[in-house]
């Protein structure tokens, strides 16, 4: 209705039941229809074509039980399956690792398979409890984990135990990350104190390197200039269901929600408008913005802002720190969403 204020993200308080968490472990809307043949390798980056071959081979092997030991062991001792192998896509942001991971998930011909971000998987363990999470995930043939990273000692210990138990149970695990397995946690916590756990974790994976420039910005213009507050109000009013939020209020609201809820926070939105964007004040806020940007990108929600440019979202000091790759991925994805907003005619 004319004159009605636009809805706001800060007024949304999504709740996710434990059973809903399990059911939601599928690729997000942006990657619901991707397949290996829709991935277009960069001709100048041979590792990308090689990654497709490796992923296809891995998908074909999911569900195959491997046995340990030679002929003597097979004849005279109990047959114990080897741990299921893991595949780990390592590379910079914007090279299509998530596309490959989702394509792998789609290619596995079993219904018993799960796909989630690292945050979603760790939250599932917290919601269900470790033993129940292992019980449920052990029934899967494949667990695909996007944005794999170790940000603190608790994650390191938890995930090492989880993946050890799952792969021992025959679950194949595929993951994407911006960091090699044996370098996880560097620059974020005293990773050297957890070297045994990190080595145990990295030993479960075969690493496939995916090189190349960020495809989201290959030959494309920079993000549109910020709008004015008046332009945001006018454009949001023309899009039923679009949200308009003050940046500081939105940051405060995100602090009240676990990042695993951010996906539901922005589900089914036609567009998100944010007023008064500026550099985040600290790393905690920065990491929440990273998680929000990822969920907006997963759901292909166009974004437009007023205030400062999206490129100013993280300070130079933050971009030199241990979370540099996460922040750069966030800017890359938000820039792509801002271009989507411009292409949709949000800016006249």
């Amino acid at each position: 209705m004319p004159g009605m204020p636009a809805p706001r993200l800060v007024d949304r308080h999504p709740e996710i039941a434990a059973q809903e968490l399990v059911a939601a472990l599928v690729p997000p809307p942006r990657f619901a229809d991707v397949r290996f043949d829709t991935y277009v390798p960069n001709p100048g980056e041979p590792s990308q074509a090689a990654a497709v071959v490796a992923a296809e081979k891995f998908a074909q092997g999911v569900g195959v039980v491997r046995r340990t030991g030679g002929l003597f062991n097979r004849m005279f001792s109990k047959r114990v399956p080897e741990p299921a192998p893991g595949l780990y896509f390592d590379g910079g942001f914007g090279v299509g690792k998530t596309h490959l991971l989702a394509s792998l998930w789609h290619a596995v011909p079993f219904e018993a398979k799960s796909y989630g971000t690292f945050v979603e998987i760790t939250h599932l363990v917290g919601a269900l409890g470790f033993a129940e999470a292992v019980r449920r995930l052990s029934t899967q043939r494949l667990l695909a984990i996007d944005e794999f990273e170790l940000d603190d000692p608790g994650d390191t210990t938890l995930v090492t135990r989880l993946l050890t138990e799952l792969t021992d149970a025959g679950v194949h695990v595929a993951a994407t990350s911006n960091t090699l397995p044996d370098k996880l946690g560097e620059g974020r916590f005293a990773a050297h104190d957890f070297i045994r756990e990190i080595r145990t974790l990295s030993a479960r994976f075969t690493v496939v390197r995916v090189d190349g420039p960020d495809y989201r910005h290959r030959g494309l213009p920079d993000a549109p200039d910020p709008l004015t507050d008046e332009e945001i109000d006018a454009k949001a009013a023309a899009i039923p269901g679009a949200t308009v939020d003050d940046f500081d209020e939105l940051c405060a609201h995100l602090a009240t929600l676990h990042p695993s809820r951010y996906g539901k926070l922005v589900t089914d939105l036609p567009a998100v408008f944010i007023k008064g964007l500026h550099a985040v004040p600290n790393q905690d806020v920065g990491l929440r913005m990273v998680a929000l940007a990822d969920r907006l990108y997963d759901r292909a929600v166009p974004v437009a802002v007023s205030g400062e440019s999206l490129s100013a979202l993280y300070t130079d000091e933050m971009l030199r720190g241990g979370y540099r790759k996460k922040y750069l991925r966030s800017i890359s994805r938000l820039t792509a969403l801002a271009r989507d907003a411009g292409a949709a005619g949000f800016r006249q």
Side-chain angles (χ1 to χ4, degrees):
M1 294 178 60
M4 289 287 289
R8 305 186 303 169
L9 289 175
V10 298
D11 294 325
R12 302 180 70 158
H13 302 273
E15 296 290 340
I16 306 176
Q19 190 58 43
E20 189 178 356
L21 285 171
V22 177
L25 291 179
V26 297
R30 181 181 288 273
F31 300 100
D33 298 317
V34 301
R35 299 295 187 271
F36 287 127
D37 60 5
T38 64
Y39 180 85
V40 182
N42 184 335
E45 300 291 346
S47 67
Q48 294 187 8
V52 175
V53 173
E56 290 177 324
K57 182 179 179 180
F58 185 84
Q60 293 166 2
V62 169
V64 176
V65 177
R66 302 188 304 167
R67 303 289 181 179
T68 59
L71 178 62
F72 178 85
N73 285 338
R74 291 198 300 271
M75 291 178 63
F76 300 105
S77 64
K78 182 179 179 180
R79 294 185 178 184
V80 179
E82 290 184 9
L87 189 68
Y88 191 101
F89 294 110
D90 170 64
F93 53 89
V95 295
K97 300 188 303 298
T98 301
H99 187 138
L100 288 171
L101 184 70
S103 298
L104 191 162
W105 187 91
H106 287 299
V108 170
F110 301 108
E111 291 187 7
K113 54 186 178 180
S114 294
Y115 179 110
T117 64
F118 182 79
V119 168
E120 289 168 337
I121 298 302
T122 55
H123 182 56
L124 177 70
V125 176
L128 297 179
F130 185 83
E132 179 63 12
V134 169
R135 186 186 72 79
R136 295 199 187 199
L137 293 176
S138 292
T139 65
Q140 305 298 286
R141 300 292 188 95
L142 170 71
L143 175 61
I145 307 175
D146 197 22
E147 302 161 14
F148 194 102
E149 193 49 89
L150 300 179
D151 291 338
D152 58 61
D155 281 350
T156 303
T157 303
L158 173 70
V159 173
T160 300
R161 286 184 60 208
L162 177 68
L163 295 190
T164 297
E165 296 211 19
L166 293 181
T167 53
D168 283 349
V171 181
H172 290 66
V173 178
T176 71
S177 182
N178 300 128
T179 307
L180 285 166
D182 61 350
K183 302 296 183 184
L184 289 165
E186 283 192 356
R188 303 179 184 185
F189 62 96
H192 58 275
D193 292 338
F194 295 86
I195 193 66
R196 180 174 62 84
E197 288 84 355
I198 291 172
R199 284 176 176 169
T200 297
L201 195 59
S202 64
R204 299 273 161 165
F205 292 103
T206 296
V207 176
V208 173
R209 178 71 186 174
V210 189
D211 294 309
D214 182 354
Y215 80 91
R216 287 185 285 268
H217 305 297
R218 197 182 300 158
L220 295 174
D222 292 334
D225 292 334
L227 304 173
T228 66
D229 287 353
E230 292 73 21
E231 286 177 314
I232 279 186
D233 289 334
K235 294 178 187 301
I239 306 172
T243 60
V244 178
D245 285 88
D246 172 79
F247 180 69
D248 288 330
E249 291 179 356
L250 177 59
C251 289
H253 183 57
L254 294 178
T256 69
L257 303 174
H258 189 279
S260 62
R261 299 183 187 182
Y262 292 4
K264 194 168 183 179
L265 179 71
V266 301
T267 293
D268 298 328
L269 291 180
V272 164
F273 293 87
I274 302 173
K275 292 182 176 180
L277 187 90
H278 59 80
V280 295
N282 56 58
Q283 198 150 259
D284 288 341
V285 178
L287 292 174
R288 293 185 197 114
M289 286 305 301
V290 168
L292 179 65
D294 287 338
R295 301 295 75 79
L296 288 166
Y297 183 78
D298 285 345
R299 287 153 180 78
V301 181
V303 174
V305 304
S306 70
E308 296 187 45
S309 168
L310 287 167
S311 61
L313 185 56
Y314 307 107
T315 66
D316 290 342
E317 181 181 2
M318 296 173 76
L319 292 174
R320 290 193 296 268
Y323 297 100
R324 168 182 168 82
K325 292 178 181 178
K326 283 193 174 189
Y327 295 142
L328 291 176
R329 182 184 76 221
S330 173
I331 293 173
S332 169
R333 288 183 164 185
L334 287 171
T335 297
L337 294 175
R339 280 205 304 266
D340 290 345
F346 291 10
R347 189 173 186 88
Q348 298 172 347

